[in-house]
Amino acid sequence: MRKTGNIILSLITVIIVLTACVNNPEKEHQGIINLDHLKHLYTALTLENGKEVGVINIYSEYPDYFYEIEPNEGFTCVDDVARALVFLSAYTKNSNEPEIEIMIDKMTRFILTMQAENGYFYNFLWGDMSINKSYKTSVAEPNWWSWRALWALSEIYPNLEGNLADRIKTAADKIISIIEEKYTGLHKDTVQFEGINLPNWFPLGTAFDQSAILIMGMESYYNNIQKDTAVIDLIEKFAEGLLLTQKGDSNNFPYGAYLSWNNLWHAYGNIQAYSMLKAGQLLNRKDYIESALLEIDYFYPFLMKENFPAYFSIKKADGWFKIIDHQQFPQIAYGFRPMIWACIEAFIVTGEEKYLQRAEEISEWFSGKNITGKRMYDPATGRCYDGIVSETEVNRNSGAESTIEALLSLQAFDQIKHK
């Protein structure tokens, strides 16, 4: 249980820190949420079927930050629109801006339009306003973009009413029914990779990283749309699997890290600790919470000491885990937001200020406390650069993912004030 005095002291500390950001360059990344670049990336348009929607352009290139189109995929996608919608859903809880309400309405309509007959979602939109239904990162299947669509629709549902809310429920119910049909009866088999025993009952067998997003989507669906007990069972099933992907311990590498895919750990999208904290609270499972805290307490400090590697793969030999491949770059905003969210959620769950302090330390990557010493987020423009690609070089493009992930990171600190 948290102590009231500590909570009040912590919140006062946060408010003081956020206020001081304006005059302290090393803290400028905190508490300064600038939507200018996100609004620049936003476009309202009419699809080939005549429907009016809102999208987020994926690519925005230095120095003029004009839009670009990826030839195999398209210019906007459910992946990024969904994340922007999650951000704006929380943003509107503490603001009332008609422009944002219009963006939310139109982006919600975009995601709904991208749902396929099979219940999953297409991802990309071509420049001619038609849906990309064939490229491998856009087909309607059980994959990242479908889980993010479920998550975003479930998050925004309480904010909407009328026909649009009804359409959200219908779409969410449809994909949930497909998820339940596909995964409820799936056997809890295991598979071996480089001597490591791992669960094999996730999307794509061992997609542990994207399954954490699915847990978040199902948790939001259960809390906001429908109290479906089958959803609870599936959250527990996936969370039980994530326990098996956690390797090492407080004294031994990889220090409680959740693997991301097979025997690989990668920074981007590695949001398992946050998902386990949410699942632990929903299901009243102390072991899930303790598991998440293990990664936060011991693996995160390891990452900080190693200057935040991008990924590594491991093998197990003679009872020990060893690195067999390693890459330091690129470092991207999407590799830091999951850790920040997990640390702040750990603070909320435990009331221990060390987790807030760790979130602060990790988030300083945005303001220049990184391997290049260069600022990654500019509070004056709302741009976040697309990544660090070497010890000295920053990719100064500022696309959708980087922008939204930075805003989600900042927002997490801001929301502590309203807990």
Side-chain angles (χ1 to χ4, degrees):
M1 296 295 291
R2 288 188 249 167
K3 296 181 180 179
T4 304
N6 286 340
I7 296 175
I8 294 173
L9 179 60
S10 298
L11 295 181
I12 291 173
T13 301
V14 171
I15 293 170
I16 291 172
V17 168
L18 296 178
T19 303
C21 291
V22 177
N23 298 315
N24 186 341
E26 291 189 358
K27 297 292 185 179
E28 279 185 358
H29 63 289
Q30 297 165 5
I32 304 177
I33 296 177
N34 186 336
L35 272 60
D36 286 352
H37 192 58
L38 179 65
K39 291 177 181 179
H40 166 69
L41 295 175
Y42 172 80
T43 300
L45 51 82
T46 302
L47 301 179
E48 64 172 358
N49 59 12
K51 293 184 178 180
E52 295 184 359
V53 300
V55 301
I56 302 293
N57 286 271
I58 301 171
Y59 303 105
S60 176
E61 299 198 353
Y62 176 84
D64 298 317
Y65 296 101
F66 294 140
Y67 306 146
E68 294 291 337
I69 296 179
E70 207 289 324
N72 292 317
E73 296 177 328
F75 74 98
T76 190
C77 63
V78 167
D79 264 335
D80 290 327
V81 173
R83 278 184 278 195
L85 200 55
V86 169
F87 168 77
L88 292 176
S89 174
Y91 181 82
T92 57
K93 293 177 182 178
N94 302 305
S95 69
N96 183 19
E97 301 178 30
E99 181 183 6
I100 299 300
E101 299 294 339
I102 292 171
M103 291 172 64
I104 287 173
D105 179 278
K106 290 186 179 296
M107 288 194 295
T108 301
R109 294 178 189 277
F110 170 73
I111 292 178
L112 291 170
T113 299
M114 298 295 280
Q115 189 170 32
E117 287 296 320
N118 66 4
Y120 298 114
F121 290 78
Y122 299 111
N123 196 18
F124 285 92
L125 196 67
W126 290 119
D128 65 1
M129 305 302 124
S130 64
I131 298 173
N132 183 344
K133 298 182 179 181
S134 59
Y135 192 66
K136 60 184 179 180
T137 57
S138 191
V139 295
E141 65 179 12
N143 216 319
W144 290 98
W145 45 96
S146 290
W147 314 142
R148 289 203 180 100
L150 170 64
W151 179 38
L153 292 176
S154 299
E155 287 292 305
I156 201 65
Y157 177 76
N159 298 12
L160 302 175
E161 56 186 20
N163 177 258
L164 193 56
D166 292 340
R167 289 180 60 193
I168 289 174
K169 187 176 188 308
T170 298
D173 288 346
K174 185 172 184 178
I175 188 172
I176 283 291
S177 67
I178 297 299
I179 291 167
E180 291 175 352
E181 180 181 348
K182 183 175 180 64
Y183 296 107
T184 299
L186 202 62
H187 292 298
K188 293 184 178 180
D189 297 327
T190 59
V191 63
Q192 292 275 330
F193 288 95
E194 295 289 352
I196 304 170
N197 194 52
L198 294 166
N200 194 37
W201 60 85
F202 291 83
L204 303 180
T206 58
F208 316 129
D209 46 9
Q210 61 170 278
S211 300
I213 301 290
L214 178 52
I215 288 175
M216 291 161 58
M218 291 190 294
E219 187 258 351
S220 183
Y221 174 86
Y222 181 85
N223 285 329
N224 295 332
I225 298 179
Q226 182 70 41
K227 301 294 185 185
D228 184 345
T229 56
V231 167
I232 291 292
D233 293 340
L234 271 179
I235 291 174
E236 186 170 33
K237 184 174 185 176
F238 286 130
E240 291 289 343
L242 289 182
L243 289 177
L244 299 180
T245 72
Q246 189 170 40
K247 303 303 175 182
D249 55 37
S250 59
N251 295 311
N252 298 291
F253 178 81
Y255 307 110
Y258 296 102
L259 294 177
S260 304
W261 163 258
N262 296 342
N263 62 319
L264 175 72
W265 175 88
H266 53 67
Y268 72 85
N270 198 73
I271 201 161
Q272 289 90 307
Y274 175 81
S275 295
M276 291 294 275
L277 287 169
K278 300 297 285 187
Q281 293 171 83
L282 179 65
L283 303 176
N284 194 26
R285 289 287 299 265
K286 185 179 179 181
D287 55 335
Y288 294 172
I289 292 173
E290 290 176 344
S291 171
L293 296 180
L294 175 64
E295 181 181 78
I296 297 167
D297 283 336
Y298 299 100
F299 181 56
Y300 287 8
F302 166 79
L303 293 177
M304 296 165 73
K305 181 181 178 182
E306 297 297 318
N307 283 318
F308 299 108
Y311 73 82
F312 59 77
S313 57
I314 61 175
K315 69 176 181 180
K316 189 174 184 180
D318 301 322
W320 302 95
F321 295 101
K322 301 177 181 179
I323 291 179
I324 55 176
D325 189 23
H326 165 272
Q327 187 65 47
Q328 190 70 35
F329 305 102
Q331 296 179 0
I332 59 176
Y334 191 25
F336 289 82
R337 192 266 296 180
M339 291 188 287
I340 291 168
W341 272 31
C343 288
I344 290 179
E345 190 65 24
F347 167 69
I348 292 169
V349 171
T350 67
E352 295 185 34
E353 293 179 20
K354 67 177 183 179
Y355 295 115
L356 181 58
Q357 293 168 359
R358 183 152 298 157
E360 295 273 2
E361 292 173 9
I362 293 170
S363 66
E364 287 175 349
W365 179 86
F366 288 100
S367 62
K369 194 173 182 180
N370 55 56
I371 200 166
T372 68
K374 298 175 182 178
R375 182 190 302 278
M376 296 301 293
Y377 172 75
D378 178 11
T381 63
R383 296 187 192 119
C384 180
Y385 295 136
D386 278 351
I388 295 174
V389 296
S390 74
E391 291 187 5
T392 59
E393 184 181 0
V394 170
N395 178 350
R396 295 186 182 277
N397 297 337
S398 183
E401 181 178 277
S402 302
T403 300
I404 298 163
E405 291 292 333
L407 291 174
L408 286 167
S409 298
L410 298 177
Q411 187 179 66
F413 287 101
D414 188 63
Q415 288 180 314
I416 296 174
K417 297 183 295 181
H418 304 285
K419 288 291 183 179

